[in-house]
Amino acid sequence: MRVYKVKNYDEMSRQAAGIIASMITLNPACVLGLATGSTPEGIYRELIKGYNNGDLDFSEVKSVNLDEYQGLDPNNDQSYYYYMTDKLFNHVNIKKENYHLPNGLAEDAAKECARYDEIIKSLGGVDLQLLGIGINGHIGFNEPSEKLEKDVHLAKLTESTINANARFFKSYDDIPKHAFTMGVRTIMSARKIVLAASGKSKAEIMPAVINGPITTAVPASLLQLHPDVTIIADEDALSLL
Ligand code: GLP
């Protein structure tokens, strides 16, 4: 695990975007694993800058997202599909047929999980997986638990995550309680992983991720077992380390 401590959110965004940009330059047809949340927004802004100034070409890039809420229409502004098109895909030349997210409206959840697993396999796996981190140590929607799921699955969100998401929804009933997510094996199979973290709210979990025992109680601690993980975190996120 390489840990880069940067000053603040903007520096985190530039550094992480720099790694993704290098991947695209070295392998223009790379498969990116993408994440949502407030953390990667600045990273996506930097990638759009790179595209606009002619340094980056997304025409052959493929992407698969980590997760999607169950029950949200892609046009719902809280869906991860909406987020990705709004914050990245609509602003670069990635082809629509080349980006993938789980379908939150799928009627048969088991079938949807199998379909999404198959897409990732058919692309040859993920070259670079971008991750944020939940305040409870979740990655994607692999929540702290006695056991973790390997492959794409429908996850039940914990109260901690539901509460963390409350700010984005009008009422408690509107907050999704389940989400489709890559499993831990899916994430760990990525050839390279970049985890970005910013802000004081992440300070408590970061020592457990980086130095803590490897435990399903902190799903991100499993990343210690991966051969190529880069953590880019700002001073606030690393303030308890
Ligand atoms: C959600 C996402 C995660 C993300 C986390 C943290 O739960 N499923 O992939 O890492 O939120 O979000 P934020 O970056 O807004 O702190």
Side-chain angles (χ1 to χ4, degrees):
M1 229 178 211
R2 273 178 298 266
V3 181
Y4 293 136
K5 186 179 188 168
V6 296
K7 235 187 157 30
N8 53 31
Y9 181 84
D10 288 346
E11 211 171 292
M12 176 206 75
S13 303
R14 278 197 300 276
Q15 291 259 8
I19 296 176
I20 298 172
S22 305
M23 171 59 79
I24 297 172
T25 304
L26 289 169
N27 179 4
C30 62
V31 179
L32 299 177
L34 298 177
T36 48
S38 44
T39 308
E41 285 187 23
I43 300 173
Y44 296 148
R45 278 196 294 270
E46 290 295 322
L47 292 177
I48 293 168
K49 260 193 227 164
Y51 169 70
N52 284 336
N53 68 24
D55 289 340
L56 286 179
D57 174 15
F58 289 77
S59 61
E60 298 305 321
V61 169
K62 317 210 170 38
S63 78
V64 282
N65 260 77
L66 273 173
D67 45 18
E68 176 61 286
Y69 290 123
Q70 186 188 37
L72 291 197
D73 188 280
N75 295 316
N76 182 312
D77 63 3
Q78 292 308 322
S79 77
Y80 287 166
Y81 183 93
Y82 188 98
Y83 172 108
M84 288 309 302
T85 50
D86 184 47
K87 305 216 182 301
L88 181 65
F89 299 152
N90 285 350
H91 307 284
V92 297
N93 64 336
I94 190 167
K95 293 183 184 132
K96 196 167 192 294
E97 65 266 29
N98 284 345
Y99 58 78
H100 308 274
L101 288 94
N103 173 11
L105 294 182
E107 282 184 10
D108 185 332
K111 249 195 201 158
E112 177 56 15
C113 294
R115 180 193 74 88
Y116 201 61
D117 258 330
E118 196 41 51
I119 286 178
I120 299 168
K121 274 198 204 103
S122 71
L123 293 172
V126 173
D127 292 305
L128 187 159
Q129 177 66 55
L130 175 63
L131 295 176
I133 181 158
I135 50 174
N136 62 4
H138 75 218
I139 43 177
F141 273 124
N142 295 278
E143 297 276 33
S145 165
E146 269 177 28
K147 62 182 185 71
L148 297 174
E149 297 282 338
K150 290 198 283 279
D151 300 320
V152 175
H153 60 284
L154 187 66
K156 190 173 182 316
L157 309 190
T158 59
E159 278 305 308
S160 153
T161 299
I162 293 170
N163 292 332
N165 288 339
R167 61 203 153 117
F168 301 117
F169 295 88
K170 275 197 219 87
S171 72
Y172 185 86
D173 285 348
D174 290 339
I175 313 169
K177 311 297 184 300
H178 294 87
F180 292 100
T181 180
M182 287 184 188
V184 173
R185 176 166 67 183
T186 334
I187 294 172
M188 292 289 280
S189 300
R191 289 179 270 282
K192 189 181 267 303
I193 295 178
V194 174
L195 184 144
S198 165
K200 282 257 186 265
S201 68
K202 306 293 165 73
E204 214 165 301
I205 200 67
M206 289 311 285
V209 174
I210 295 169
N211 293 325
I214 295 166
T215 165
T216 60
V218 181
S221 68
L222 271 80
L223 297 173
Q224 294 175 41
L225 298 170
H226 190 282
D228 190 351
V229 175
T230 302
I231 294 185
I232 302 178
D234 66 11
E235 286 173 2
D236 280 349
L238 295 179
S239 57
L240 297 180
L241 206 74

